[in-house]
Amino acid sequence: MQLVNKSSSTLRSPKMAACRAAFAARRSTSRVGYHRSAPVRALLEDVVTYSEDLKTEALANLSATTQTMPPSQTPGAADRQRFRLHWSVDMWRDFNPRNWLDAIDNEAAPVSERLRAFADTVANAVSTSGVFSSTQAAQYWAYHVARSSFFAAQAIAGLAVARATAGRDLSPDSALTRFEQIARNGWQGPLAEAFLAYYQDYESIKEGKYGMPWDGVSLTHRQFNPLYIARRAIAFVSEASDTLRRRDRGTPDEVWIKSAFLPDYYQSTFHYQSDGWMSTRSADVYETSTEVLFVGRQDSMQRSTLVPMSEFMAGKDASQIKALEIAAGTGRFATFVKDNYPLMDLTVSDLSPYYLQAARNNMKYWKRQRASELTLSGVDGNGTSFMQGAAEALPVVDASFDLVYSVYLFHELPEDIRRKAVKEMARVVKPGGMVILTDSVQLGDRPAYDATLGGFGKFNEPYYENYLTTDLGAIFEEAGLECDMKVMSSTTKSLSFKKPLEIPLDAASKTEAEEMKGEEGVVITVESAKEGDPMMN
């Protein structure tokens, strides 16, 4: 893998050049770009239907700051100056599903040309992805194509039930039109995004960044059990109906329990989901709901976190590494971390006891499926501990962890809490350690979608628009961390940061530091500074 320099945005890796060449054959500059990006947990209706007024609606709800932010001042532009860029960054910046498939969707072209374009596209996709290059590749693609097909069907079923429940049944003609739109725009939008995300995911596997997803190679996994699938499907359809009803009403339900021990921002039913984060029902349906909304690609996007993690872990003994996942939710991604580093001492944290229970259950299941022969530490013998706590007030001592990471948290935090959370990450990670933040893309990451990203805020995401304009690299640098690498996967970005071994000193402190150095040339480190300064202990 080749990375571009932080100061350069013009270099390209060989892999990036190949991707760009493949997509260029399908790109046309004469048409308006595809107007939907399906951002993090995008609206269910937008996953499976086509809404002509979505762009107008989204633009009307964007703040003046978001609408007028110059491209050179977007977080995406700032990232290019601060981070090493993984080859995926430019691939996703330039990828536009609608333009890529213009030749197929050109209704003015003869049917024979459209069929030939479709055949060429499929042939190129199969060749590029290497579907038949090995047994492992075939296994990966078979699983993920089936996965996306299943969740796309779930989305259609959920929407149909929701509309029927709301008394908005469609006439036969309207239904036919809608299914035609689903077929066309599903291929051009979320499904195209999913397949490219899978391509990237498998490339990372081939590069040795991480192993095959354990849930797809364990044929005894419960997700292949028809009864388990049916239970999850029924639960999702019921939740989808309730969620869309609240969305139509425009008013979220109140969280059923109020607590003086939970921050105010947390006591909200984000996404209009039932009970917010505060019930077993919510935790049980969460994984299915989010994967339906992403048409099955959420796991692959989250695994982009493992790319910088693999660099950090290279040459290290995993049994000597302590890691912390902040706001882990149901702990599904934590199982992928443990599957790659089973001996790692992992702490999973969240504010919701219901989601922590789900995380504990998921980790127990991983242990039974994948590491039953290992004797590990932790409350359940799987090398994992569980901790209830807020990201902005972690109940752990300074420099406790070698690795700290968080997935899909920051877009749900108010700006002041976001900054406090960054300071906490910097506080609890050891000198020389790494912090990884994975969350939604922001303005400038995928310029074709900048105009509509903010529309997600209407799905009871009150802090999302502010997040879109936040320079994350600057906040982490203010907390004393150094920007490292940026990886993208569809509508997700991962940023890694390193904690320096030495304390950055201001000009006034440098003279004193030189005096402390003395003839022995002692270097002032975080640990030695703490030993000499009672205020830091």
Side-chain angles (χ1 to χ4, degrees):
M1 178 181 66
Q2 179 178 336
L3 297 164
V4 305
N5 295 326
K6 293 184 183 181
S7 60
S8 172
S9 60
T10 60
L11 299 180
R12 300 289 187 270
S13 69
K15 190 183 301 294
M16 183 62 235
C19 290
R20 288 169 62 87
F23 299 146
R26 299 297 176 199
R27 186 177 295 121
S28 169
T29 58
S30 63
R31 295 184 58 173
V32 177
Y34 186 58
H35 74 277
R36 293 184 294 135
S37 66
V40 176
R41 302 184 190 123
L43 305 181
L44 176 60
E45 289 193 53
D46 194 32
V47 171
V48 294
T49 63
Y50 185 89
S51 174
E52 289 290 353
D53 61 354
L54 177 65
K55 184 173 182 178
T56 302
E57 181 184 20
L59 285 171
N61 286 278
L62 290 178
S63 69
T65 301
T66 303
Q67 292 187 55
T68 60
M69 176 171 280
S72 62
Q73 296 179 17
T74 61
D79 289 347
R80 302 188 73 83
Q81 302 302 315
R82 288 192 169 94
F83 294 90
R84 294 182 295 143
L85 303 182
H86 184 263
W87 57 265
S88 59
V89 174
D90 284 342
M91 180 181 78
W92 287 107
R93 184 190 64 175
D94 297 337
F95 178 65
N96 188 318
R98 190 179 184 91
N99 290 345
W100 184 41
L101 300 170
D102 267 350
I104 298 174
D105 198 45
N106 182 8
E107 297 180 1
V111 174
S112 59
E113 290 186 12
R114 297 176 68 183
L115 289 174
R116 187 181 305 110
F118 177 78
D120 290 344
T121 298
V122 172
N124 289 336
V126 170
S127 175
T128 302
S129 62
V131 172
F132 303 114
S133 62
S134 67
T135 302
Q136 177 179 274
Q139 181 182 25
Y140 177 92
W141 282 100
Y143 169 64
H144 284 86
V145 169
R147 181 182 181 84
S148 278
S149 300
F150 170 75
F151 285 116
Q154 282 281 283
I156 295 171
L159 182 60
V161 171
R163 290 195 178 282
T165 302
R168 293 180 296 167
D169 295 304
L170 300 171
S171 67
D173 290 340
S174 297
L176 289 173
T177 300
R178 184 168 297 278
F179 274 98
E180 181 183 8
Q181 293 170 344
I182 289 171
R184 179 187 303 141
N185 295 288
W187 168 248
Q188 288 183 331
L191 289 178
E193 295 264 333
F195 293 144
L196 187 56
Y198 296 154
Y199 164 78
Q200 177 185 338
D201 190 37
Y202 190 63
E203 285 297 300
S204 294
I205 292 171
K206 291 196 298 183
E207 291 172 354
K209 299 304 179 184
Y210 45 87
M212 286 276 284
W214 71 275
D215 59 332
V217 298
S218 301
L219 296 181
T220 58
H221 195 288
R222 59 192 174 193
Q223 67 185 8
F224 298 110
N225 184 320
L227 293 178
Y228 179 83
I229 294 173
R231 286 197 300 270
R232 288 301 177 100
I234 292 171
F236 165 73
V237 169
S238 174
E239 174 65 13
S241 177
D242 291 342
T243 298
L244 287 180
R245 174 178 51 79
R246 298 183 193 107
R247 184 218 169 192
D248 285 346
R249 189 179 64 203
T251 305
D253 290 345
E254 291 188 5
V255 177
W256 70 275
I257 183 172
K258 297 295 183 181
S259 173
F261 303 102
L262 295 175
D264 290 340
Y265 70 83
Y266 194 75
Q267 301 187 60
S268 172
T269 52
F270 288 93
H271 327 130
Y272 295 110
Q273 65 193 33
S274 299
D275 303 324
W277 308 113
M278 298 304 292
S279 74
T280 301
R281 175 192 177 186
S282 173
D284 285 347
V285 77
Y286 177 80
E287 292 175 13
T288 304
S289 296
T290 53
E291 282 292 19
V292 166
L293 296 172
F294 285 122
V295 200
R297 73 184 187 275
Q298 178 175 253
D299 281 352
S300 65
M301 294 192 299
Q302 292 187 31
R303 284 194 290 268
S304 63
T305 311
L306 297 173
V307 174
M309 189 181 295
S310 69
E311 283 198 359
F312 175 75
M313 292 297 296
K316 293 182 174 66
D317 181 354
S319 66
Q320 302 302 308
I321 298 297
K322 294 186 65 176
L324 169 66
E325 179 171 354
I326 301 173
T330 64
R332 180 170 173 83
F333 177 67
T335 66
F336 291 107
V337 174
K338 286 295 292 185
D339 199 61
N340 282 274
Y341 308 104
L343 301 182
M344 177 185 286
D345 183 354
L346 177 63
T347 297
V348 170
S349 73
D350 201 89
L351 264 173
S352 170
Y354 305 97
Y355 276 70
L356 281 174
Q357 180 63 61
R360 183 184 183 188
N361 293 340
N362 274 336
M363 199 59 70
K364 285 181 179 179
Y365 187 76
W366 167 82
K367 176 68 161 56
R368 292 197 302 270
Q369 286 281 307
R370 299 284 288 176
S372 59
E373 75 286 356
L374 295 180
T375 301
L376 303 172
S377 60
V379 64
D380 298 313
N382 50 37
T384 309
S385 302
F386 300 89
M387 177 178 73
Q388 185 179 18
E392 68 274 19
L394 296 170
V396 295
V397 300
D398 296 359
S400 303
F401 298 94
D402 303 280
L403 176 66
V404 177
Y405 65 93
S406 179
V407 180
Y408 297 151
L409 167 65
F410 271 39
H411 72 277
E412 293 184 344
L413 297 179
E415 183 175 4
D416 60 327
I417 301 299
R418 205 178 293 144
R419 290 179 176 275
K420 291 178 181 178
V422 172
K423 291 180 180 178
E424 281 292 271
M425 288 177 160
R427 178 183 68 83
V428 303
V429 71
K430 296 178 181 178
M434 175 172 281
V435 173
I436 306 174
L437 174 69
T438 296
D439 213 303
S440 165
V441 293
Q442 300 174 284
L443 296 182
D445 287 325
R446 301 191 64 180
Y449 300 149
D450 281 356
T452 53
L453 273 179
F456 180 50
K458 292 193 67 177
F459 208 50
N460 199 30
E461 284 281 4
Y463 314 113
Y464 188 71
E465 187 176 340
N466 175 269
Y467 166 82
L468 291 178
T469 61
T470 298
D471 186 344
L472 296 170
I475 297 177
F476 278 87
E477 286 183 338
E478 290 171 5
L481 300 179
E482 298 175 348
C483 297
D484 179 38
M485 180 194 290
K486 177 178 180 177
V487 184
M488 283 177 56
S489 178
S490 186
T491 52
T492 294
K493 65 192 292 183
S494 293
L495 304 175
S496 63
F497 307 86
K498 294 180 178 178
K499 186 170 184 176
L501 290 171
E502 297 185 17
I503 300 177
L505 300 174
D506 57 31
S509 302
K510 287 183 179 179
T511 302
E512 182 179 355
E514 288 298 323
E515 294 175 356
M516 293 175 65
K517 230 178 191 183
E519 297 180 357
E520 293 80 8
V522 177
V523 177
I524 309 301
T525 66
V526 172
E527 296 302 322
S528 62
K530 286 183 179 179
E531 293 173 2
D533 187 351
M535 295 296 291
M536 297 184 68
N537 288 301

